[in-house]
Amino acid sequence: GAGVSQSPRYKVAKRGQDVALRCDPISGHVSLFWYQQALGQGPEFLTYFQNEAQLDKSGLPSDRFFAERPEGSVSTLKIQRTQQEDSAVYLCASSYGTSGSTYEQYFGPGTRLTVT
Amino acid sequence: DQQVKQNSPSLSVQEGRISILNCDYTNSMFDYFLWYKKYPAEGPTFLISISSIKDKNEDGRFTVFLNKSAKHLSLHIVPSQPGDSAVYFCAASGGYQKVTFGTGTKLQVIP
């Protein structure tokens, strides 16, 4: 079956613009994660959904960042009033498992956001 | 506060030899450890994992060793192949699925 897909793959935004990044997880996967990966760094956790519920948003760097998963499938990460420090690759991952156990996370290819 | 550390940013190994990638962690609440492999322009791909109740897990050419007292884990690849050239991320989780990643080690296997 299809893996995790993300769109767009590349996004260039002018400082101050709003952007929306989309993630289509693997069908049937309950858990969905967003990560931010800066150049030369490992992915850093942003937020976690179990179905439509956002159970952890402790990694969101500011209130300009907002994520949703209204029907428990597709998720959107929105960044308002983008700043240059938001430039990074945004990775989405999904897994079959839920809280209390650890299952393999399947990652999408990421969206590379460049803020000019 | 870097809770998962990979102190070697890069490693070069001859084809056929053993590759050893190291990782240290500081959070004693971590109970599950994973290695991911990443090629350019792709997302990380799960490679192998180990629970904190074990000290070794093997899958084909890949073996992960965990030393809880030292808060250290390592990934051994033997024999190394050119296709193994990639960035390897060590990661750890505790409680639920939130995963903390290291900064990665770029492995180059020289034919």
Side-chain angles (χ1 to χ4, degrees), chain B:
Chain B
D1 176 26
Q2 195 75 26
Q3 296 187 61
V4 178
K5 301 177 185 178
Q6 292 178 259
N7 293 319
S8 297
S10 63
L11 175 68
S12 289
V13 172
Q14 287 289 125
E15 180 179 3
R17 307 293 287 268
I18 185 171
S19 295
I20 300 176
L21 294 91
N22 294 301
C23 177
D24 297 293
Y25 62 96
T26 58
N27 189 339
S28 56
M29 298 301 291
F30 288 145
D31 60 4
Y32 202 77
F33 303 89
L34 312 95
W35 285 93
Y36 280 83
K37 177 179 178 179
K38 186 181 183 304
Y39 293 116
E42 295 182 11
T45 302
F46 171 78
L47 192 58
I48 192 169
S49 62
I50 187 167
S51 165
S52 60
I53 63 174
K54 295 185 175 181
D55 55 19
K56 176 182 175 181
N57 188 27
E58 191 172 353
D59 183 2
R61 296 185 298 112
F62 303 91
T63 303
V64 56
F65 295 91
L66 174 63
N67 182 334
K68 281 193 347 184
S69 61
K71 292 191 175 69
H72 177 83
L73 64 155
S74 61
L75 174 68
H76 292 209
I77 307 172
V78 56
S80 301
Q81 300 174 353
D84 296 331
S85 297
V87 177
Y88 289 79
F89 289 101
C90 172
S93 70
Y96 74 102
Q97 294 190 70
K98 175 178 176 179
V99 176
T100 302
F101 285 82
T103 53
T105 296
K106 184 175 183 178
L107 173 66
Q108 182 183 20
V109 179
I110 303 164

Side-chain angles (χ1 to χ4, degrees), chain A residues 61-82:
Chain A
S62 77
D63 57 9
R64 297 186 295 104
F65 286 71
F66 172 75
E68 60 183 5
R69 193 185 184 198
E71 297 178 359
S73 178
V74 171
S75 177
T76 304
L77 176 67
K78 298 179 180 177
I79 309 173
Q80 297 177 323
R81 304 182 303 282
T82 53

